Amino acid sequence: MQKFKKRKLILLALGIFTPITLTTSRVNASSFGAEIFCTMRDGGNDHESSWDAAYSYIKKQKGGIFKVSPKNAAAQITETVIREKEELSYCVEYLDNLHPNRKLIRDLEKEEKRKEKEEKDKELRRKRLEKELEEANDETFTDETLDRYSY
């Protein structure tokens, strides 16, 4: 009975402290990830290299079975910059690059698909016309019409 109470107490302690430690590491990871992003951007680096560095750090620090999605990491960086706006006030101007205009991206993808479809249709029409021309040429020129010495 004594062992059962000790196990129960240990499980209870683990149940309480595990979420606290996981949350703390996530906050620290996103906080330092935001610092990486902001420092690199402020140092003159482009968005892509700054984002890659911050995202890979956040992803590495998260651990566990599931990795952080790029969208989630961008949200974490944004939250950290807003939460610590006194320290990271210079970084606010770079946040718009973390959340690109989704509507514009969708419109560009639709336009690209439309152009691809037009190209395919054009190619199909060209092949169909070539085939019709071949069939028409085969029918018009028989052996009799090609014999140049037949009077």
Side-chain angles (χ1 to χ4, degrees):
M1 190 70 170
Q2 200 69 322
K3 284 185 176 183
F4 181 70
K5 283 186 179 181
K6 283 184 182 179
R7 284 185 185 176
K8 196 174 184 182
L9 193 63
I10 290 172
L11 287 175
L12 180 64
L14 282 174
I16 291 172
F17 292 116
T18 302
I20 292 171
T21 57
L22 290 177
T23 305
T24 306
S25 69
R26 191 193 99 159
V27 169
N28 290 339
S30 64
S31 176
F32 196 67
E35 287 181 38
I36 291 171
F37 178 76
C38 294
T39 303
M40 286 182 72
R41 284 307 307 257
D42 196 44
N45 291 301
D46 65 333
H47 170 73
E48 288 300 317
S49 61
S50 305
W51 165 247
D52 287 341
Y55 178 56
S56 63
Y57 177 79
I58 291 172
K59 201 166 52 168
K60 184 181 88 176
Q61 294 300 316
K62 170 72 166 71
I65 298 172
F66 301 106
K67 296 292 179 193
V68 178
S69 70
K71 204 175 196 178
N72 195 346
Q76 288 178 9
I77 291 173
T78 304
E79 289 171 10
T80 302
V81 170
I82 300 302
R83 190 178 331 107
E84 299 175 12
K85 58 184 155 197
E86 290 83 33
E87 295 174 29
L88 301 172
S89 62
Y90 62 91
C91 192
V92 173
E93 65 184 287
Y94 306 123
L95 293 180
D96 64 335
N97 292 330
L98 288 175
H99 303 283
N101 187 347
R102 304 286 182 214
K103 185 178 184 310
L104 177 63
I105 290 172
R106 279 195 309 268
D107 291 345
L108 290 173
E109 287 174 351
K110 282 181 185 177
E111 182 67 21
E112 189 175 316
K113 286 180 183 178
R114 186 186 62 78
K115 285 181 180 179
E116 287 176 5
K117 186 176 185 236
E118 283 179 1
E119 286 294 320
K120 287 180 182 177
D121 290 345
K122 199 181 220 182
E123 183 66 23
L124 285 173
R125 279 193 305 257
R126 187 185 63 78
K127 286 181 180 180
R128 190 178 66 231
L129 283 174
E130 284 179 355
K131 186 178 179 182
E132 288 176 7
L133 280 173
E134 284 179 13
E135 289 173 358
N137 285 340
D138 289 344
E139 292 172 359
T140 0
F141 299 112
T142 61
D143 287 338
E144 291 177 7
T145 57
L146 290 178
D147 187 17
R148 62 183 185 174
Y149 295 111
S150 63
Y151 294 98

